[in-house]
Amino acid sequence: MTVSELVGVWRLASFHDVDEDGNRKEGPLGPEPEGLLLYSAEGHVSVHMMRTGPSAPGGGSGARPPQNYMSYAGTWRLSGDQVVHTLTLAPEPGWIGTDQVRDLRLDGATLTLHGDSLVGPRQRRVLVWRRVSAQAPSK
């Protein structure tokens, strides 16, 4: 994997969790989330993802609010078969400065990232992204 292969804009194709037995489960943003992932050649990363259907139901008294939008930004670097995101902007102050390590696989225009959840109980997450073709903005 090279930096130039990762640089660009990626659209979220799927986002799901995998339990300890290897079973696929719906991810935190529902069955059909949308998102964009941007890797710059200068080493910046930005990711934004959202639920597309109805908002998630409330979690009850004292529970963490449901996730309808997830994002962060920072810098990125390759490390073997992994990409490391070092967070500089995040919705949770405790995430700032942390390294978020993602196992990665690139198959043509499809990028698959595997990582652990940032909130709640530790959960293995799988995000599949498709490269966005270069195209001039419409006027």
Side-chain angles (χ1 to χ4, degrees), residues 35-91:
L36 286 176
L37 169 65
L38 294 86
Y39 285 114
S40 80
E42 297 79 21
H44 297 281
V45 62
S46 180
V47 60
H48 301 270
M49 301 177 294
M50 63 180 252
R51 179 180 296 273
T52 58
S55 293
S61 178
R64 183 175 193 86
Q67 291 181 300
N68 292 307
Y69 189 84
M70 302 169 81
S71 68
Y72 63 74
T75 59
W76 71 278
R77 68 185 183 282
L78 288 175
S79 179
D81 289 336
Q82 297 178 319
V83 62
V84 180
H85 300 164
T86 301
L87 307 191
T88 57
L89 294 171

Side-chain angles (χ1 to χ4, degrees), residues 4 7 22 45 49 56 85 96 101 107 110 112 119 124 128 136:
S4 63
V7 166
V45 62
M49 301 177 294
H85 300 164
I96 305 294
V101 179
D107 182 16
T110 301
T112 304
V119 296
R124 193 70 173 154
V128 178

